[in-house]
Amino acid sequence: MNTIKEWLTIPQAALLVGRKKTAVYDWVKDGRLAARIGVNGVKLVASKDALRVESTVKRGRPAGTASRNGDN
């Protein structure tokens, strides 16, 4: 039986929510996702909070950003 740990490292959280590590770091930096430092000095986030934040963030290019071929 697979269970999700309560606290995850940034790479683990990124894998859980299907995003890049940089996205999760950005969420922490922007204050959307709280983080703490674990006993080994590694930054940790709550798995339930990572799932909550991911569900509110749109995927893809920001509106009004041109694509590579110039189409919007």
Side-chain angles (χ1 to χ4, degrees):
M1 179 170 129
N2 289 337
T3 59
I4 300 173
K5 295 190 296 185
E6 183 178 2
W7 293 95
L8 302 172
T9 64
I10 299 292
Q12 291 170 333
L15 186 62
L16 174 67
V17 298
R19 300 287 185 123
K20 293 183 179 181
K21 290 184 293 187
T22 53
V24 179
Y25 279 113
D26 287 344
W27 299 342
V28 172
K29 181 179 157 190
D30 294 345
R32 292 189 255 181
L33 182 59
R36 69 176 190 163
I37 303 299
V39 292
N40 56 357
V42 175
K43 192 174 286 193
L44 301 171
V45 297
S47 56
K48 66 179 181 175
D49 291 340
L51 290 167
R52 177 187 49 80
V53 170
E54 193 281 331
S55 69
T56 66
V57 178
K58 288 186 176 182
R59 292 183 179 263
R61 291 183 281 117
T65 305
S67 65
R68 289 184 181 174
N69 62 8
D71 296 335
N72 274 341

